[in-house]
Amino acid sequence: MTVSLRTLSAMLLAGTALTVAMPVYAQTQPAQAPAAPASPEENEVEEIVVNGRFIPDEIRDTAEVANFLTVEDIRRAGDDTAAQALTRISGLSVVSGRFVYVRGLGERYSQALLNGSPLPSPEPMQRVVPLDLFPAAILAGTAVQKTFSANYPGEFGGGIIDLRTVGVPDKPYFNIGVGLGVDSEITDKNGLTYYGSKHDEFGFDDGSRKLPVGVRQFAATRPVVFSGSANGLTLDQYKAIGRSFTNAPLNLIQRDRVPLNGNMDVSGGQAFETDYGRFGVVGVLSYRNSWQNRVGVRQSTVPDVGGLVLASDARFEANQNDIGWSGLGGLAWENDDNELHYTALWIRSTSKRARITENSAQSQGSANVNVYNTEWYRRELQLNQLTGKHRVGDLDIDWRGTYGRTTREAPYERLYRYGLQADGRRLALLSGANQLVSFSDLDENIGSANIDFSYELPVSFVRQAKISAGYAWQTNDRSSVRRDFSYEAGRNYDPVRYGTERIDYLVSDRNINDDIIALRELTGTTLTGDAPYFDAGLEVNAGYVQVDTEIVPLLRASFGVRYEDGKEYIRTFDIFNRAAGPLFARTINESYVLPTATATWNFAEDQQLRVGASKTIGRPQFRELAPQRYRDTDTDRILRGNPFLVDTEFTNGDLRYERYFEKGQYLTVGAFYKELKKPVEAFAVLGSDGAFQQTYYNAPLAEIYGIEFDAKKYFEPQFGFDWIDAKRWLVAVNYTYSKSKLKVGKGDTIVLDTTGVRSTPLASDYIRPGSRLQGQSDHLANVQFGFEDDEAQSQATLLFTYTSDRVSARSSSADLPDLIQDPGLRVDFVYRKTFMINDREFAGSFEARNLSGTDAEEYQKAGGKRFETNSFKVGRTFSLGLTAKF
């Protein structure tokens, strides 16, 4: 039988019909048409069966291709941070345990939001926030949207990751959790460390790492250079500066037994029903203390006939203590038509590192060198967000206001080198930048405001239509300052007498006098080759219009357009004379019209097909623009930006089939395609110290395409064995295959920065046509297998995660092989059980990570040889946790 559109419209207005694509009409049971006087034609309608009763509400609510991670998903996997949890979603991979890659596109192309608002980043020279900062305890779920919609920011490459924090509870609760863990590589073993300060174990410094008082007193506005003239420092001032540096506690590397890893979480919430609405409060406090040891190889290469030869060959050992604090507080008020939510978030993370690189033999014939590093990094994020939702008649109003601030301190980054002589002596190297101590500070503020209006259109020619419009504003302001100092041989330095001294003796007060050991400031000199002070910023104003409608029964369409105007700038200054104006300035001022359209066809019971197309952009990160050096703590490489980068423009296409069997069970298969104009690529060059350094350029053109498969199914077998039949078994699998390639035409050029000078070499000199994009893995796969036992209140899950190799950095020439990173297969196991003691509920957990013993591998291959550019051992970790619920 047939049903006219007019008939359906009347029935919808009467509230008796259902749809599948719009959540306002969703029901779980078929509905009967109401009995009422009607024409003969209308009497032909006996029953309307509505599809989609198993489609999750979040999938109904969006017209886009998206994945959702629930609290239950996070608990099952036992993931501690947002970064770990997101690896379970199809098409996502995590690099360095911190940055999320969506569909093989680097972290620069994926934006993280917190409850819909942009986040500031505490990382040097980049706007992407590392997701390992966010403990799972503060998350109520995560949405990953892979197709662009006009209400989201135009910087949409791989996708948008929206972290959702815990909100008002349904009932009061108070939980306390503790955990202990071991790492097979380091726990209860003698690991490298240094004293630091008396509060280091809690992630706080006692003042030992402050900028030396002598620098603050006598060299706040001028470099430390003793000249004996009126324009320089007096000898007494010079000595006071050198002797005010903290020495042995921060310089002397020792070995000490490494304790257990540990964590603690406290969370609670309360809700109050009043005559004025529902009030709620929630709070979370989390502490993490963990150790990580790396023993590995770092080699660098130079071209040679038939391939590559070693430039340096280093064995290193590094030990890192990570301490994290986080706190979240939330207040909320809700009634029938209004919601107000306030969220305050504080995250503090410190990393204390000690590292020794031994026997660094260079192929050019220089002496073997031992390199010693001590470092301490503090990252802190503070964020306040106020949001509101209001219903005024048929008009919905959503608004958000956010202010955030991040800071990063890296005081006393200490590097010193000793050369190994032929007779076995170890002599301190005191020329150039062989004895370095650096101080850097980063400060960023971010403000954003959004307002969105949506209205149900009373139109008769479609079943339902909602029009949305909104305005968004965002501003980022960042400043970064760095000062570098070097200890060098004085006029009367005797290498035989002083060169063999331990480092804390060598740079002790008795030697700092310009005769034996001279302290020199390198800030802003050619030895560091960078800008000691820069500021950067981004301001975006955007507006959009979007229509979401069910055109005909079972066919939903969403289309819109976003106008976005962005101004991004970078400026460098003389740190000692900022009033003189910028030494270098660059502004990227671009406006874009970004269209998008998505259609969803619910063609069968609990099955639907989505197709989408859009235009989006990607802006260079501050890290990639700023001509300031910093050391990447994961690779130990020096990174420096290229201020001549430009925006990347995307053309996106998506197709996905979805089938939902029962609640929480589904099968999806999708395909995607993206074209990138001017994608940003990182490439490595050999530095003067024999190690790789890294910078960036815009490649001419690239494309990436792939397929995604995602399935989740529960089973309740009846095999006659109680230990099997009493359990509900889970199998979840997702797999992504993607392929990318760079395109280089005849005459295409790239733009490089050579100490502030713009150069435009041929792209073919640096890029091999057909090479894959940096960061893209051909294969990503996740498998989860486990069970739930309701009677025993237990849950166990075995997790397999596989990521195939990817380009970590492009080589400095098209004729040389790229640097390849191979994450490989990782196997984890998580067991959880709830039990009662004295009528009190407890939850226990056991987690085993990296059971496969997969190590970190980065290498180059040429001429049948493999060179380990950054490969090291990764331990297996085992932890126990216990949570008491009150």
Side-chain angles (χ1 to χ4, degrees):
M1 63 186 69
T2 61
V3 182
S4 70
L5 288 178
R6 181 173 299 177
T7 301
L8 285 171
S9 178
M11 294 164 61
L12 284 168
L13 291 174
T16 57
L18 303 173
T19 72
V20 294
M22 308 301 291
V24 69
Y25 299 111
Q27 296 182 16
T28 58
Q29 297 296 329
Q32 299 292 330
S39 64
E41 292 83 0
E42 290 174 329
N43 284 330
E44 294 180 9
V45 180
E46 297 177 356
E47 181 178 352
I48 299 176
V49 178
V50 177
N51 297 336
R53 56 199 175 110
F54 294 131
I55 298 176
D57 290 342
E58 288 186 309
I59 297 295
R60 295 179 191 274
D61 289 345
T62 179
E64 311 304 328
V65 173
N67 292 88
F68 298 92
L69 197 68
T70 66
V71 172
E72 175 58 30
D73 294 330
I74 296 172
R75 288 174 181 166
R76 172 178 286 280
D79 297 313
D80 294 326
T81 68
Q84 289 180 352
L86 287 167
T87 61
R88 315 301 174 192
I89 293 180
S90 62
L92 272 63
S93 59
V94 173
V95 176
S96 302
R98 306 163 67 198
F99 298 108
V100 174
Y101 285 23
V102 181
R103 289 177 164 175
L105 294 169
E107 82 276 1
R108 68 178 68 89
Y109 298 129
S110 300
Q111 185 169 173
L113 307 177
L114 186 74
N115 299 324
S117 295
L119 285 164
S121 174
E123 289 302 299
M125 291 175 283
Q126 70 184 71
R127 287 183 287 113
V128 177
V129 63
L131 295 182
D132 65 321
L133 286 178
F134 294 88
I138 71 170
L139 297 179
T142 301
V144 179
Q145 187 168 306
K146 297 177 180 177
T147 56
F148 176 62
S149 56
N151 60 308
Y152 271 132
E155 283 192 77
F156 193 107
I160 287 284
I161 300 166
D162 194 358
L163 306 176
R164 300 169 179 176
T165 56
V166 292
V168 178
D170 294 328
K171 58 182 180 179
Y173 74 95
F174 181 73
N175 299 330
I176 299 177
V178 295
L180 292 173
V182 299
D183 186 313
S184 62
E185 285 294 314
I186 192 59
T187 303
D188 203 34
K189 298 179 182 179
N190 285 328
L192 297 177
T193 188
Y194 62 97
Y195 176 75
S197 76
K198 59 185 178 182
H199 302 318
D200 281 8
E201 61 184 321
F202 298 106
F204 294 88
D205 179 65
D206 64 2
S208 300
R209 295 182 175 90
K210 291 183 66 175
L211 189 69
V213 62
V215 176
R216 301 197 305 270
Q217 288 180 344
F218 305 118
T221 59
R222 55 183 167 177
V224 177
V225 178
F226 173 60
S227 63
S229 65
N231 293 328
L233 300 166
T234 68
L235 181 58
D236 288 341
Q237 290 173 333
Y238 177 78
K239 289 180 180 179
I241 292 173
R243 295 172 182 179
S244 67
F245 279 62
T246 304
N247 186 5
L250 303 182
N251 290 333
L252 186 61
I253 295 179
Q254 308 170 71
R255 286 192 180 274
D256 198 2
R257 192 164 294 277
V258 174
L260 297 171
N261 298 332
N263 65 274
M264 180 186 71
D265 298 286
V266 179
S267 61
Q270 176 69 281
F272 309 91
E273 297 289 348
T274 72
D275 294 338
Y276 302 99
R278 187 167 182 260
F279 292 85
V281 60
V282 64
V284 179
L285 180 65
S286 178
Y287 168 75
R288 297 284 186 274
N289 190 335
S290 63
W291 296 81
Q292 182 183 65
N293 194 61
R294 294 179 175 181
V295 177
V297 180
R298 287 195 179 114
Q299 298 175 323
S300 61
T301 60
V302 292
D304 189 50
V305 177
L308 300 171
V309 294
L310 281 176
S312 65
D313 187 5
R315 302 297 185 271
F316 72 92
E317 179 181 355
N319 195 26
Q320 178 170 316
N321 182 203
D322 294 310
I323 299 172
W325 290 91
S326 62
L328 180 140
L331 298 172
W333 168 73
E334 302 173 354
N335 65 15
D336 292 341
D337 296 320
N338 301 279
E339 293 182 17
L340 289 176
H341 292 263
Y342 169 72
T343 303
L345 177 66
W346 170 70
I347 296 175
R348 178 189 173 95
S349 172
T350 59
S351 297
K352 180 180 179 181
R353 296 163 51 95
R355 181 171 67 258
I356 297 178
T357 305
E358 297 182 336
N359 301 322
S360 180
Q362 298 194 14
S363 61
Q364 283 79 8
S366 59
N368 291 345
V369 174
N370 283 1
V371 185
Y372 303 82
N373 297 85
T374 61
E375 298 150 339
W376 193 80
Y377 302 99
R378 180 194 64 81
R379 303 177 293 171
E380 190 164 331
L381 183 152
Q382 301 169 24
L383 186 134
N384 292 273
Q385 183 184 64
L386 185 64
T387 66
K389 294 184 178 181
H390 311 280
R391 180 80 174 181
V392 182
D394 294 329
L395 180 67
D396 289 317
I397 305 173
D398 290 4
W399 55 270
R400 297 180 300 279
T402 304
Y403 171 75
R405 181 172 183 256
T406 60
T407 57
R408 179 188 187 268
E409 292 180 352
Y412 282 97
E413 283 186 275
R414 188 69 168 95
L415 177 151
Y416 52 96
R417 292 183 173 95
Y418 280 81
L420 302 180
Q421 307 303 303
D423 59 3
R425 291 183 303 162
R426 193 184 70 143
L427 293 180
L429 302 180
L430 288 167
S431 61
N434 282 309
Q435 301 285 335
L436 279 175
V437 56
S438 302
F439 302 82
S440 62
D441 289 279
L442 179 147
D443 195 304
E444 179 176 346
N445 294 277
I446 183 171
S448 67
N450 303 67
I451 187 165
D452 301 282
F453 302 91
S454 60
Y455 181 71
E456 299 285 347
L457 293 176
V459 293
S460 60
F461 56 90
V462 295
R463 299 185 68 178
Q464 182 181 356
K466 180 168 71 174
I467 184 169
S468 302
Y471 168 77
W473 168 81
Q474 175 188 339
T475 181
N476 293 63
D477 296 298
R478 169 172 289 196
S479 63
S480 177
V481 60
R482 182 182 182 92
R483 296 188 73 167
D484 296 288
F485 301 86
S486 176
Y487 294 103
E488 301 175 8
R491 293 186 296 269
N492 299 315
Y493 175 75
D494 182 353
V496 175
R497 178 179 178 182
Y498 300 104
T500 58
E501 290 186 334
R502 205 172 70 182
I503 185 63
D504 53 328
Y505 295 159
L506 179 68
V507 298
S508 62
D509 292 354
R510 66 181 182 180
N511 291 341
I512 304 295
N513 57 16
D514 205 44
D515 285 332
I516 301 173
I517 300 295
L519 178 68
R520 300 283 187 261
E521 183 159 10
L522 304 181
T523 304
T525 69
T526 55
L527 284 176
T528 56
D530 64 350
Y533 177 84
F534 81 87
D535 66 17
L538 171 68
E539 182 173 5
V540 177
N541 286 275
Y544 77 92
V545 176
Q546 183 169 283
V547 176
D548 192 344
T549 180
E550 190 171 11
I551 303 174
V552 296
L554 310 181
L555 179 61
R556 176 183 182 182
S558 174
F559 50 91
V561 62
R562 185 180 184 90
Y563 173 80
E564 193 160 293
D565 179 79
K567 181 180 180 181
E568 186 173 11
Y569 69 87
I570 183 82
R571 300 180 299 188
T572 65
F573 294 85
D574 180 349
I575 192 174
F576 303 111
N577 188 17
R578 300 180 195 175
L583 301 174
F584 175 88
R586 168 93 195 287
T587 299
I588 304 174
N589 199 341
E590 299 284 354
S591 298
Y592 298 95
V593 176
L594 305 172
T596 176
T598 307
T600 303
W601 179 28
N602 192 195
F603 61 90
E605 174 70 11
D606 295 308
Q607 299 182 60
Q608 57 190 24
L609 187 68
R610 298 186 192 267
V611 59
S614 63
K615 292 270 192 180
T616 55
I617 60 169
R619 297 184 177 93
Q621 304 297 305
F622 293 144
R623 174 191 66 177
E624 299 163 346
L625 283 173
Q628 187 182 79
R629 293 155 47 104
Y630 85 97
R631 186 174 299 277
D632 185 338
T633 59
D634 293 310
T635 63
D636 201 30
R637 293 187 191 122
I638 297 297
L639 275 62
R640 188 176 188 275
N642 177 358
F644 301 110
L645 296 177
V646 299
D647 293 349
T648 303
E649 298 183 33
F650 290 80
T651 301
N652 311 288
D654 278 89
L655 177 68
R656 186 161 86 168
Y657 163 78
E658 302 171 359
R659 181 171 183 178
Y660 300 90
F661 306 107
E662 294 183 30
K663 184 179 180 180
Q665 304 181 57
Y666 53 82
L667 167 69
T668 70
V669 181
F672 63 90
Y673 172 85
K674 295 177 182 292
E675 182 186 73
L676 293 73
K677 294 180 180 178
K678 299 292 185 181
V680 175
E681 292 281 290
F683 78 104
V685 296
L686 191 66
S688 58
D689 60 354
F692 282 122
Q693 299 182 8
Q694 193 167 303
T695 188
Y696 309 89
Y697 57 71
N698 288 105
L701 190 68
E703 66 176 10
I704 181 170
Y705 55 88
I707 58 172
E708 294 177 335
F709 170 86
D710 200 351
K712 184 177 180 181
K713 181 67 177 174
Y714 288 100
F715 298 92
E716 297 183 6
Q718 298 297 320
F719 293 145
F721 301 100
D722 290 342
W723 65 275
I724 294 179
D725 297 348
K727 297 174 176 60
R728 186 180 187 221
W729 295 83
L730 164 73
V731 176
V733 180
N734 66 63
Y735 168 73
T736 302
Y737 170 79
S738 59
K739 195 74 174 177
S740 66
K741 58 183 178 181
L742 294 168
K743 297 182 177 181
V744 180
K746 185 177 181 181
D748 285 343
T749 61
I750 61 173
V751 178
L752 297 179
D753 171 45
T754 308
T755 61
V757 178
R758 186 177 187 271
S759 62
T760 57
L762 286 173
S764 56
D765 292 340
Y766 289 80
I767 305 170
R768 293 187 305 277
S771 298
R772 55 179 165 167
L773 279 164
Q774 179 222 338
Q776 181 259 323
S777 296
D778 288 354
H779 306 280
L780 300 173
N782 286 283
V783 177
Q784 296 185 38
F785 176 74
F787 67 78
E788 298 173 351
D789 190 327
D790 292 337
E791 183 175 347
Q793 294 187 308
S794 62
Q795 184 185 80
T797 311
L798 190 63
L799 304 106
F800 302 84
T801 302
Y802 175 74
T803 304
S804 66
D805 62 19
R806 57 193 170 213
V807 175
S808 58
R810 194 74 57 205
S811 186
S812 59
S813 169
D815 299 327
L816 300 177
D818 296 326
L819 277 64
I820 303 297
Q821 189 179 66
D822 189 1
L825 174 68
R826 182 183 172 103
V827 181
D828 300 331
F829 174 75
V830 178
Y831 177 78
R832 300 189 175 280
K833 181 175 177 59
T834 301
F835 53 93
M836 304 294 292
I837 299 179
N838 294 330
D839 296 326
R840 180 74 62 199
E841 182 178 332
F842 290 82
S845 66
F846 169 73
E847 299 177 14
R849 303 287 181 180
N850 195 28
L851 291 173
S852 52
T854 304
D855 295 328
E857 299 181 13
E858 186 193 64
Y859 56 86
Q860 277 184 303
K861 280 186 175 180
K865 297 180 180 179
R866 171 167 160 159
F867 303 92
E868 305 296 332
T869 55
N870 186 38
S871 298
F872 53 87
K873 292 183 177 297
V874 178
R876 298 175 175 87
T877 62
F878 305 88
S879 62
L880 292 171
L882 180 65
T883 299
K885 300 182 179 182
F886 297 89

